[in-house]
């Protein structure tokens, strides 16, 4: 869709009437560069800050943290000890706790993991069915708004969850909030490659390349750093919001410690913070619509067709699909490890919101410092994204390895309170940058103009991948009755994925393949134009996608 010309004195902000489908240009050396005029208005300061503030509020404290603790707490209160027949909260119980689920008696840990597995299954349906559709028109803009409103509604609905008999409702509300929270992260992340391509700095870089003032290699390095800048700053804002949310929650948790609804009030306050910080994105986001939906297509089927066609063309994007596959395994291992550690941690600290808040504060503070530190190191030494990501993956592997040690000894391996403090600090130091660098890697390898489609696949790899992990782990735990028996499987999963990324993902080649893929699939509009070397580029007629 054509955009009106932008009147400005600065050549770096110039724009023609080129439609958004005209996305890339190539020169005779084989370097493909995103078209400077293709993607709408230049990113404003207000828009960028509203983007950061959305993630500041969408920090996961409520739907990912407190809601899980409330659900597990109510489920435990409703459960029975299969050995003694006493309630699970009775001081004379054996420590085992089961609930009736689907005609069977299952442990509470197993039920929690089943809830996670079902949530990831529904996320899979969202990402595969309507993920690609978000690339067309303004559908992506409205999709993020609707998902955000549903998540806000689920979190506000937690106010009525009081008493063991509400554990079923707590499970439903937790799943609804978790599903929509995970989806908001994916479609929010899908916005950042286009934002990064259209900042004043990125626009100026492309004009310098066009004028021959910088080499293609310099352009690629600097544009990659611009992507990392926005990704790292947004991740830092998420952790700042995480820290601030936990801090203000102490104003409820401390004075109302004896109130039976204190946990519900805490979730209410947490969600109110996200509502206040998140609404601005929907006000200041500038229109950058994608192309119109092709004739004869609809939003519910286009996603599956796009994914099927893209997967059939995997040979054109080998590094993109290797990364998606490896990240599928890595995210499955990491997400399920986090859930398993949270289950053990909740048991250790008796489902205390206050203790979890203190632990979260430690994680948030270290996350802010580490994200800023990693970004400073990368910017100062011009380190590649993949190198930074590989460093974080080392600790992704070490966390389940540490838990695995707990199978054979009670001295270490998530058996002591200090280990959970150490876990939250280590998680903050290395896993916060992990999220920033993993999405920057995806932005590097995703074809321009297909951002929602490939970030939908990325979301499938990240959030929805954990259909496998929770179901395998819950089956292991349900059979053995020991939470620690799930760690060996997770260690192997994380190790295998990290090795694949290290040895078989070539980001520079993958980036060029992605831009070339976009050029072939979207094609030109039939209007010849000058590329960056002054050679006219013609019309590509391949419109497979």
């Amino acid at each position: 869709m054509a955009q009106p010309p932008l009147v400005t004195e600065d050549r770096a902000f110039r724009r023609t009437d080129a439609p958004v489908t005209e996305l890339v240009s190539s020169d005779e050396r084989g370097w493909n560069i995103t078209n400077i005029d293709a993607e709408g208005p230049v990113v404003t300061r207000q828009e960028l800050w509203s983007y950061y503030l959305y993630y500041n509020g969408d920090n996961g404290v409520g739907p990912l943290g407190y809601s899980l603790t409330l659900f597990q707490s109510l489920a435990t209160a409703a459960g029975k000890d299969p050995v003694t027949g006493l309630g699970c909260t009775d001081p004379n119980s054996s420590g085992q706790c089961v609930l009736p689920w689907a005609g069977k008696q299952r442990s509470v840990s197993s039920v929690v993991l089943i809830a996670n597995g079902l949530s990831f299954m529904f996320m899979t349906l969202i990402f595969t069915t309507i993920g690609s559709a978000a690339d067309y028109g303004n559908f992506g803009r409205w999709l993020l708004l609707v998902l955000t409103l549903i998540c806000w509604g689920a979190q506000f609905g937690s106010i009525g969850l009081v008493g063991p008999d509400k554990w079923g409702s707590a499970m439903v509300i937790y799943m609804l909030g978790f599903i929509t929270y995970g989806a908001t992260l994916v479609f929010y992340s899908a916005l950042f490659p286009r934002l990064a391509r259209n900042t004043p700095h990125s626009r100026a870089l492309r004009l310098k390349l066009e004028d021959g003032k910088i080499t293609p290699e310099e352009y690629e390095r600097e544009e990659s750093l611009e992507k990392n800048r926005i990704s790292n700053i947004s991740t830092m804002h998420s952790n700042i919001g995480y820290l601030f949310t936990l801090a203000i929650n102490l104003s409820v948790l401390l004075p109302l410690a004896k109130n039976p609804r204190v946990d519900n009030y805490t979730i209410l306050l947490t969600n109110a913070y996200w509502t206040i910080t998140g609404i601005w994105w929907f006000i200041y986001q500038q229109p950058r619509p994608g192309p119109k939906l092709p004739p004869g297509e609809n939003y519910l089927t286009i996603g599956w067709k796009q994914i099927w066609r893209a997967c059939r063309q995997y040979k054109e994007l080998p590094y993109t699909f290797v990364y998606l596959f490896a990240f599928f395994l890595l995210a499955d291992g990491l997400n399920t490890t986090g859930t398993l550690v949270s289950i053990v941690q909740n048991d250790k600290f008796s489902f205390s919101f206050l203790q979890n808040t203190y632990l979260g504060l430690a994680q948030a503070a270290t996350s802010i410092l580490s994200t800023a530190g990693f970004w400073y190191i990368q910017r100062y030494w011009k380190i590649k994204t993949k190198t930074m990501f590989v460093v974080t993956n080392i600790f992704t592997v070490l966390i389940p390895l540490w838990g695995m040690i707990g199978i054979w000894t009670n001295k270490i391996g998530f058996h002591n309170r200090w280990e959970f403090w150490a876990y939250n600090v280590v998680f903050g130091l290395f896993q916060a940058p992990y999220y920033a660098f993993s999405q920057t890697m995806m932005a590097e390898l995703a074809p321009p103009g297909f951002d929602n489609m490939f970030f939908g696949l990325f979301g499938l790899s990240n959030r929805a991948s954990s259909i496998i992990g929770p179901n395998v782990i819950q089956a292991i735990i349900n059979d053995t009755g020991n939470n620690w028996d799930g760690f060996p499987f997770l260690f192997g999963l994380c190790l295998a994925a990290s090795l694949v990324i290290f040895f078989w993902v070539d980001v520079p080649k993958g980036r060029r393949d992605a831009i070339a893929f976009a050029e072939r699939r979207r094609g030109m509009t039939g209007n010849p134009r000058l590329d960056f070397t002054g050679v006219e580029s013609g019309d590509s007629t391949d419109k497979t996608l």
Side-chain angles (χ1 to χ4, degrees):
M1 186 177 295
Q3 297 290 335
L6 181 67
V7 179
T8 175
E9 295 293 328
D10 189 345
R11 184 165 173 263
F13 294 96
R14 69 180 173 86
R15 188 171 73 237
T16 67
D17 292 332
V20 294
T21 52
E22 189 175 332
L23 284 169
V24 295
S25 175
S26 61
D27 67 16
E28 59 191 5
R29 294 161 295 184
W31 291 84
N32 296 309
I33 307 297
T34 307
N35 181 17
I36 193 170
D37 297 324
E39 298 187 316
V42 175
V43 175
T44 65
R45 187 176 181 84
Q46 282 181 323
E47 184 180 23
L48 193 57
W49 271 96
S50 66
Y51 181 79
Y52 293 150
L53 283 174
Y54 181 92
Y55 205 14
N56 187 292
D58 193 13
N59 51 56
V61 171
L64 192 61
Y66 287 150
S67 291
L68 173 62
T69 302
L70 181 62
F71 161 42
Q72 188 179 347
S73 174
L74 294 178
T76 301
K80 298 291 183 182
D81 185 336
V83 177
T84 65
L86 300 172
C88 296
T89 57
D90 192 290
N92 295 316
S93 66
S94 68
Q96 297 184 51
C97 188
V98 298
L99 280 170
W101 172 262
K104 296 181 180 180
Q105 294 292 318
R106 295 184 179 273
S107 69
V108 170
S109 296
S110 179
V111 172
V112 171
L113 288 164
I114 288 172
N116 273 28
L118 290 172
S119 297
F120 291 127
M121 181 186 71
F122 285 114
M123 284 187 217
T124 300
L125 292 175
I126 292 173
F127 300 148
T128 51
T129 303
I130 59 179
S132 297
D135 286 318
Y136 292 94
N138 288 305
F139 185 72
R141 182 182 186 134
W142 293 107
L143 177 61
L144 182 61
L145 175 61
V146 170
L147 289 169
T148 302
L149 292 174
I150 294 174
C151 191
W152 287 349
Q155 290 291 282
F156 282 130
S158 297
I159 192 67
L161 300 176
V162 180
D165 60 315
K166 294 293 195 302
W167 79 267
S169 299
M171 181 177 182
V172 172
I173 288 179
Y174 163 68
M175 288 176 59
L176 185 60
F178 187 32
I179 292 165
T180 51
Y181 162 72
T184 61
L185 289 184
V186 169
F187 293 113
Y188 164 87
S189 297
L191 296 167
F192 109 86
R194 181 165 289 191
L195 287 177
R197 291 195 296 265
N198 290 282
T199 62
H201 180 61
S202 290
R203 292 279 183 115
L205 282 173
R206 274 173 280 184
L207 285 173
K208 287 181 179 179
L209 179 65
E210 181 180 351
D211 293 339
K213 294 179 180 178
I214 59 174
T215 65
E217 291 88 350
E218 289 174 313
Y219 172 81
E220 280 203 340
R221 183 177 64 248
E222 291 300 322
E223 193 196 44
S224 178
L225 286 173
E226 183 71 350
K227 289 190 181 81
N228 275 288
R229 181 180 74 88
I230 293 178
S231 181
N232 277 281
I233 292 175
S234 63
T235 302
M236 195 184 309
H237 267 281
S238 175
N239 287 296
I240 291 171
Y242 190 71
L243 178 67
F244 188 74
T245 302
L246 292 171
I248 61 174
N249 283 339
L250 293 177
S251 66
V252 173
L253 291 168
L254 292 175
L256 300 179
K258 302 298 182 181
N259 191 306
R261 288 184 177 268
V262 63
D263 294 346
N264 310 81
Y265 295 149
T266 303
I267 296 176
L268 190 70
L269 180 60
T270 300
N271 198 50
Y273 177 80
W274 180 15
T275 305
I276 293 169
T277 57
I279 194 66
W280 302 106
W281 170 248
F282 303 105
I283 296 172
Y284 289 114
Q285 179 186 11
Q286 296 189 90
R288 293 187 181 87
K292 292 181 180 179
L293 198 69
E297 298 290 353
N298 65 72
Y299 287 109
L300 292 179
T301 60
I302 188 68
W304 288 98
K305 292 179 180 180
Q306 291 278 48
I307 291 170
W308 171 245
R309 289 169 181 167
C311 290
R312 288 178 62 187
Q313 304 295 325
Y314 72 93
K315 290 183 180 179
E316 298 182 42
L317 297 168
Y319 300 108
T320 302
F321 280 96
V322 168
Y323 177 66
L324 284 169
F325 170 74
F327 193 74
F328 178 96
L329 300 179
L330 185 65
D332 194 355
L334 179 62
N335 292 338
T336 310
T337 297
T339 301
L340 187 55
V341 173
S342 294
I343 290 171
V344 176
Q345 178 178 293
N346 285 332
D347 284 336
K348 191 69 177 180
F349 289 95
S350 303
F351 313 104
S352 170
F353 268 40
L354 183 59
Q355 287 296 326
N356 283 341
T357 299
Y358 288 144
L359 291 167
L361 285 169
Q363 183 183 129
T366 52
S367 294
I368 295 168
L369 293 174
S370 67
T371 305
F374 269 76
W375 166 233
Y376 176 80
I377 291 168
Q378 183 185 28
R379 181 180 57 181
Y380 187 83
W381 279 285
K382 306 287 187 182
I383 301 174
K384 295 179 180 179
T385 303
K386 178 182 170 180
T387 304
M388 303 298 290
F389 187 43
V390 167
V391 171
T392 67
N393 287 347
I394 293 171
F395 291 87
T396 302
V397 173
L398 291 179
I399 290 172
L401 176 62
W402 186 266
M404 189 168 69
I405 297 172
I407 297 174
W408 302 291
T409 178
N410 290 327
K411 293 182 178 180
I412 58 172
F414 297 121
H415 289 290
N416 306 288
R417 296 172 73 93
W418 67 264
E419 290 179 283
F420 295 101
W421 284 98
Y423 162 76
N424 279 276
V425 170
V426 170
F427 193 97
L429 287 174
F430 296 99
Q431 298 312 130
Y434 158 93
Y435 290 109
F437 293 126
S438 65
Q439 72 174 13
T440 304
M441 285 268 288
M442 188 67 252
E444 298 276 18
L445 296 169
F450 295 86
D451 300 308
N452 281 286
M453 173 182 173
F454 278 87
F455 268 84
L457 291 173
F458 181 64
L460 183 64
S461 296
N462 186 7
R463 298 290 168 183
S465 65
S466 296
I467 295 173
I468 300 172
N471 285 295
V472 172
I473 300 305
Q474 70 85 17
I476 293 172
I477 292 173
N478 203 56
D479 286 341
T480 66
N482 185 352
N483 288 332
W484 283 261
D485 286 336
F487 284 114
F489 174 79
L490 298 173
F491 168 70
L493 207 58
C494 292
L495 179 61
S498 298
L499 292 175
V500 170
I501 291 172
F502 181 75
F503 287 107
W504 287 290
V505 177
D506 189 321
V507 176
K509 290 182 180 178
R511 183 178 186 274
R512 293 167 205 167
D513 289 345
I515 297 177
F517 176 91
E519 183 175 43
R520 290 191 296 270
R521 290 299 173 272
R522 288 294 192 204
M524 303 304 174
T525 62
N527 298 320
R529 56 186 170 78
L530 292 178
D531 65 16
F532 293 121
T533 61
V535 180
E536 284 192 345
S537 57
D539 178 25
S540 172
T541 58
D542 184 355
K543 295 180 175 60
T544 304
L545 296 183

